[in-house]
Amino acid sequence: QVQLVESGGGSVQAGDSLRLSCAASGRTFSNYVMGWFRQAPGKEREFVAAISWGAGGTRYANAVKGRFTISRDKAKNTVYLAMNSLKPEDTAVYYCAARRNYPFSVDAGEYDYWGQGTQVTVSS
Protein backbone atom coordinates (compact mmCIF):
# COMPACT_ATOMS: atom_id res chain seq x y z
CA GLN A 1 0.00 0.00 0.00
CA VAL A 2 1.16 3.52 -0.78
CA GLN A 3 1.11 6.07 2.02
CA LEU A 4 1.64 9.79 1.44
CA VAL A 5 2.65 12.42 3.99
CA GLU A 6 2.69 16.15 3.17
CA SER A 7 4.75 18.80 4.90
CA GLY A 8 5.93 22.37 4.38
CA GLY A 9 2.72 24.34 4.72
CA GLY A 10 2.49 27.53 6.73
CA SER A 11 1.27 31.11 6.94
CA VAL A 12 2.93 33.64 4.63
CA GLN A 13 2.32 37.03 3.06
CA ALA A 14 1.33 37.67 -0.53
CA GLY A 15 4.34 37.47 -2.82
CA ASP A 16 6.20 34.99 -0.61
CA SER A 17 7.23 31.45 -1.53
CA LEU A 18 6.75 28.02 -0.01
CA ARG A 19 7.84 24.53 -0.95
CA LEU A 20 5.61 21.59 -0.09
CA SER A 21 6.92 18.04 0.17
CA CYS A 22 5.13 14.73 -0.20
CA ALA A 23 6.93 11.65 1.10
CA ALA A 24 5.68 8.37 -0.36
CA SER A 25 6.18 5.09 1.46
CA GLY A 26 7.68 2.12 -0.30
CA ARG A 27 8.37 1.90 -3.98
CA THR A 28 6.60 3.86 -6.65
CA PHE A 29 6.46 2.72 -10.23
CA SER A 30 7.00 4.26 -13.61
CA ASN A 31 3.31 4.23 -14.52
CA TYR A 32 2.27 6.29 -11.48
CA VAL A 33 1.06 9.87 -11.70
CA MET A 34 1.66 12.06 -8.65
CA GLY A 35 -0.59 15.06 -8.14
CA TRP A 36 -1.27 18.05 -5.93
CA PHE A 37 -4.82 19.18 -5.18
CA ARG A 38 -6.12 21.92 -2.92
CA GLN A 39 -9.38 22.60 -1.12
CA ALA A 40 -10.59 25.83 0.45
CA PRO A 41 -13.52 25.97 2.91
CA GLY A 42 -16.82 25.68 1.08
CA LYS A 43 -15.18 24.72 -2.22
CA GLU A 44 -14.61 21.45 -4.03
CA ARG A 45 -11.20 19.88 -4.25
CA GLU A 46 -9.27 21.53 -7.09
CA PHE A 47 -6.49 20.17 -9.28
CA VAL A 48 -3.19 22.06 -8.97
CA ALA A 49 -0.43 20.10 -10.70
CA ALA A 50 0.68 16.58 -11.62
CA ILE A 51 3.85 14.79 -12.69
CA SER A 52 4.48 11.38 -14.24
CA TRP A 53 6.82 9.43 -11.99
CA GLY A 54 8.81 7.81 -14.76
CA ALA A 55 9.37 10.48 -17.39
CA GLY A 56 8.71 13.61 -15.33
CA GLY A 57 6.14 15.15 -17.63
CA THR A 58 4.04 17.82 -15.92
CA ARG A 59 0.59 19.41 -16.03
CA TYR A 60 -0.62 22.56 -14.29
CA ALA A 61 -3.88 24.26 -13.56
CA ASN A 62 -4.18 27.61 -15.31
CA ALA A 63 -4.46 29.40 -11.97
CA VAL A 64 -0.93 28.37 -10.96
CA LYS A 65 0.84 28.09 -14.31
CA GLY A 66 4.06 30.10 -14.29
CA ARG A 67 4.09 30.40 -10.49
CA PHE A 68 4.17 26.81 -9.21
CA THR A 69 6.59 24.04 -10.14
CA ILE A 70 6.06 20.34 -9.44
CA SER A 71 9.05 18.00 -9.30
CA ARG A 72 10.04 14.62 -7.93
CA ASP A 73 13.11 12.92 -6.50
CA LYS A 74 12.79 9.25 -7.35
CA ALA A 75 15.63 8.19 -5.05
CA LYS A 76 13.84 9.77 -2.08
CA ASN A 77 10.30 8.80 -3.14
CA THR A 78 9.35 12.45 -2.70
CA VAL A 79 7.28 14.91 -4.72
CA TYR A 80 7.62 18.66 -4.31
CA LEU A 81 5.48 21.68 -5.09
CA ALA A 82 7.45 24.92 -5.23
CA MET A 83 5.06 27.87 -4.93
CA ASN A 84 6.22 31.36 -5.87
CA SER A 85 4.42 34.70 -5.93
CA LEU A 86 1.73 33.39 -3.62
CA LYS A 87 -1.66 35.09 -3.63
CA PRO A 88 -4.45 35.12 -1.04
CA GLU A 89 -6.55 32.99 -3.39
CA ASP A 90 -3.95 30.23 -3.03
CA THR A 91 -5.06 29.75 0.58
CA ALA A 92 -6.24 26.15 1.00
CA VAL A 93 -5.39 22.76 2.38
CA TYR A 94 -3.00 21.15 -0.10
CA TYR A 95 -3.16 17.39 -0.65
CA CYS A 96 -0.72 15.03 -2.29
CA ALA A 97 -2.27 12.24 -4.34
CA ALA A 98 -1.15 9.25 -6.41
CA ARG A 99 -2.78 7.59 -9.40
CA ARG A 100 -1.69 4.05 -10.20
CA ASN A 101 -2.28 4.11 -13.93
CA TYR A 102 -1.50 6.52 -16.71
CA PRO A 103 -2.71 8.88 -18.16
CA PHE A 104 -2.84 12.24 -16.39
CA SER A 105 -6.11 13.18 -14.74
CA VAL A 106 -7.45 16.38 -13.16
CA ASP A 107 -10.30 14.45 -11.50
CA ALA A 108 -9.69 13.81 -7.80
CA GLY A 109 -11.92 10.74 -7.98
CA GLU A 110 -9.45 9.01 -10.29
CA TYR A 111 -6.58 9.13 -7.78
CA ASP A 112 -6.04 6.09 -5.57
CA TYR A 113 -3.99 7.34 -2.61
CA TRP A 114 -4.12 10.56 -0.60
CA GLY A 115 -2.12 12.31 2.07
CA GLN A 116 -3.60 14.04 5.11
CA GLY A 117 -3.14 17.56 3.76
CA THR A 118 -1.10 20.58 4.82
CA GLN A 119 -2.48 24.09 5.36
CA VAL A 120 -1.25 27.02 3.28
CA THR A 121 -2.46 30.47 4.32
CA VAL A 122 -1.56 33.58 2.31
CA SER A 123 -2.42 36.97 3.76
CA SER A 124 -2.53 40.28 1.90
Side-chain angles (χ1 to χ4, degrees), residues 2-16:
V2 175
Q3 294 185 344
L4 307 173
V5 179
E6 303 97 332
S7 62
S11 182
V12 299
Q13 294 181 326
D16 286 351

Side-chain angles (χ1 to χ4, degrees), residues 48 59-68:
V48 176
R59 300 287 188 274
Y60 295 94
N62 288 335
V64 306
K65 197 172 300 181
R67 298 188 297 121
F68 291 10

Side-chain angles (χ1 to χ4, degrees), residues 10 30 36 45 55 61 73 94 103 108 111 119-120:
S30 61
W36 287 97
R45 194 161 297 187
D73 186 331
Y94 283 71
Y111 284 74
Q119 177 71 46
V120 173

Side-chain angles (χ1 to χ4, degrees), residues 76-94:
K76 296 181 177 180
N77 275 5
T78 300
V79 180
Y80 303 97
L81 185 69
M83 304 183 294
N84 298 320
S85 301
L86 283 162
K87 304 175 180 179
E89 49 262 48
D90 296 318
T91 295
V93 177
Y94 283 71

Side-chain angles (χ1 to χ4, degrees), residues 21-66:
S21 298
C22 172
S25 67
R27 181 181 176 184
T28 54
F29 299 94
S30 61
N31 62 332
Y32 273 35
V33 172
M34 307 297 296
W36 287 97
F37 290 76
R38 65 188 183 186
Q39 188 166 23
K43 296 184 179 179
E44 294 186 358
R45 194 161 297 187
E46 175 189 23
F47 172 78
V48 176
I51 186 168
S52 61
W53 189 257
T58 59
R59 300 287 188 274
Y60 295 94
N62 288 335
V64 306
K65 197 172 300 181

